[in-house]
Each structure stands twice: as structure tokens, then as C-alpha cells.
Amino acid sequence: MPTQPVSFTLALAGGGAKCAAHAGVLAAFEEAQLPVSAIAGVSAGGLVAVLYGLGLSPAAIRDYVAGTNLLDVWEMDLTRRAIFGVEKVRAHVRAAVGDKTFADLRFPVVVIAADLRTGREVRLRTGRLDEALLATMAIPGIFTPIAREGLTLVDGGIVNPLPVDAARALGSPVVAVDLLYHGAPTGEPTQLFEARGPMRYATELARRLQLTGIMDSVHQAALISAHRLVEYSLNAAPPDVLLRPEAGRVGLFAFDLAGYAFQQGRAAAGLAMPQLQALAHPPAPEWQTRLSRLWRQVWPARK
């Protein structure tokens, strides 16, 4: 008799605007009718995990990322601890999650943060969703850290950029989506900021003032460090399936490339679909096969 497909647990890496690739992976899962029963996410991967857990469609998640405007969420951090203050970012997050908590999600979700004082990984799975998302996305120096229960929480990507181990604790099989892997060189430079509206002109001004080279170098150095951590994580706790969408040209704040990242995520899942289908529909145990064979022999005789 036909059986329900095995459900998957996802481990979603961070990557800023690249997170739209996660939505593309989810779209491919839905098209193939592959169920997702839990997600562990870090940074922007945590954002996708929460939005999907709240019931947003993959396309709606993509549109939420694409609709983010950097200048709309920027404000001075009066504490001088980061480039961005927290209130406009909080308002943008709350527009999507409201005052919901982890208890409102339709399946288990864990988002990864880190305590800036001790460097300890912190797995958030209870409480308000907006506070958890602000914590997991608080890139040190860029976004303001979040104080919670005596901890100073920042982006968990500094300690666990691809949380396969946290996903495994939620269930198996685990599919990990790594957005920090660039794959084969395409010759296209990474677009760090969105190239639309006022940001387009601000970025061009920064390029003429020779400031973009500095930002690109810092961004590339952070990617190299995170990629090394991911490789260590994969060796220590390998997933059942690893997806690596080719979204290298999508920079941290290139929200206008969300549609491109979405398609790359869908394509990566499509390439791995035979492996995913094999995991979702494992062969029946020998005893079940024999019972089925016996039933087919007996049933015609009874008719």
C-alpha cells in the first residue's frame, strides 16, 4: 500500500539577501510534494525558517526579501555599537511576524544566535519571534546586539554558519542549504548593495571615492572565515543531502537580486531531486514486501 513520504528537517545558512534561495528550495520541495517537518536556521536562514513556519508561501518569502529597502531600515545607532540602530529593523521584522511566538509556528523551528561576551552558541526556540530574529541577524558591527536573559546576542553565523547539528536534533533526514559556497567562478562580481533607487547612486559615489574596495575586502574575508567554519561543521556533522545554490553574485544587501537567488535555490533542489525522492520514499522492509506479495496472491482467490 502507498505510504506517506518521509518528512525532512532543513538546516538553513545565513547570507543576507541570498536567503531568497532558501525560499526557492522550499518552492521545489512543495512542487515535489516533499514535506518539511522542522527547520534550524541562522541569521537570514532563521528569518526564512520563521516565515515559512508561520505559513508564508515560498513566493511570499521571496517577495518579502525583494521588498526590503536598505535605506528604509537604516537609522543611527545612538549607542555607537553598530552601523544600524534597532528600531526600524524591528519594525520591518514585526511587519512580517507581528507579536507571534515560537508556539505559533506550525512545526519546530530553532534559530541560532551567539553570546558576544562568551562566544557560546545559543539556540532560540521559545519566546517572541521578532526578538529571536533580531538576535540571529545581528551581524556584529552592522546591527545592534540584542540583550536577552543576561546575554548579549548576535548573529549565530560567527559560531555555527550552517546548523546541521541543530537540525539533526530536530529530526532526520537533514537537508542542509549552504549559501556561502560560491562554486565555479562565473566572472561576475558580487553585488554587495541593492542597485536600485537612492542606493544605486550612493553605491556609485562610494565606488568613485574608492570605498567599495574596502567593503568588498571585508565582505570577502568574512565569507572565507564562514566557509571554513561550514567545512568544519560538515565534517563533524554531515547532512543527508547538501544543497549549494549558485548565488555568489548576490551580496549581503542586494535585495533587488532576490528573484535571481530564488531561482538558484529552486535549481539546486531540482538537481538533487532524485536523491531527495529516494530519501522521501525509501524501499519497504522485506517483511512488508512479503506481506504485500502474499496479499496479492490471496485477494484474487477471495474474489
Side-chain angles (χ1 to χ4, degrees):
M1 297 180 63
T3 59
Q4 292 295 320
V6 172
S7 61
F8 290 88
T9 299
L10 304 186
L12 305 183
K18 286 187 182 72
C19 74
H22 292 318
V25 169
L26 291 169
F29 269 63
E30 288 192 353
E31 290 163 5
Q33 297 184 341
L34 299 179
V36 173
S37 59
I39 304 180
V42 62
S43 195
L47 173 66
V48 173
V50 165
L51 295 182
Y52 195 59
L54 284 173
L56 272 71
S57 70
I61 296 172
R62 174 201 61 201
D63 294 344
Y64 175 79
V65 177
T68 300
N69 187 305
L70 190 62
L71 293 181
D72 286 344
V73 297
W74 182 84
E75 64 179 322
M76 183 72 70
D77 177 20
L78 299 180
T79 67
R80 299 295 193 271
R81 302 178 70 186
I83 296 174
F84 284 76
V86 72
E87 292 308 319
K88 284 190 176 181
V89 178
R90 187 194 307 275
H92 185 65
V93 171
R94 282 183 61 83
V97 304
D99 59 357
K100 301 287 180 58
T101 70
F102 280 86
D104 295 306
L105 300 176
R106 55 196 177 107
F107 51 69
V109 169
V110 171
V111 298
I112 310 300
D115 181 13
L116 190 59
R117 300 182 185 220
T118 64
R120 182 173 64 88
E121 178 182 329
V122 180
R123 297 181 181 181
L124 303 175
R125 63 191 79 192
T126 60
R128 293 177 59 97
L129 293 173
D130 59 339
E131 290 297 325
L133 291 178
L134 289 173
T136 192
M137 295 190 295
I139 303 171
I142 297 181
F143 295 106
T144 307
I146 300 299
R148 172 171 164 158
E149 299 176 0
L151 305 176
T152 303
L153 298 181
V154 295
D155 189 332
I158 66 173
V159 293
N160 193 356
L162 185 60
V164 177
D165 51 350
R168 185 74 70 184
L170 295 174
S172 295
V174 172
V175 177
V177 187
D178 177 15
L179 301 183
L180 302 173
Y181 178 78
H182 286 270
T186 62
E188 294 180 292
T190 298
Q191 179 186 313
L192 189 55
F193 296 99
E194 56 187 299
R196 63 187 177 189
M199 275 305 303
R200 177 181 179 182
Y201 303 104
T203 302
E204 177 61 21
L205 177 61
R207 186 188 67 78
R208 294 189 180 189
L209 294 174
Q210 299 183 339
L211 297 176
T212 55
I214 298 172
M215 292 183 288
D216 287 342
S217 295
V218 172
H219 181 245
Q220 186 62 26
L223 282 178
I224 291 171
S225 177
H227 183 61
R228 291 296 181 114
L229 278 175
V230 165
E231 292 302 317
Y232 174 82
S233 172
L234 291 174
N235 288 329
D240 296 283
V241 179
L242 175 62
L243 305 181
R244 281 176 158 165
E246 296 286 350
R249 63 176 287 223
V250 184
L252 191 63
F253 300 119
F255 302 114
D256 54 323
L257 295 181
Y260 169 81
F262 181 87
Q263 292 302 330
Q264 293 302 309
R266 176 182 276 169
L271 288 174
M273 195 54 65
Q275 187 179 3
L276 293 169
Q277 290 286 8
L279 284 170
H281 304 280
E286 181 62 23
W287 68 266
Q288 189 174 345
T289 302
R290 291 182 179 180
L291 182 61
S292 178
R293 188 181 302 121
L294 178 62
W295 177 258
R296 287 196 298 269
Q297 292 172 352
V298 172
W299 180 252
R302 292 183 59 188
K303 292 177 67 176

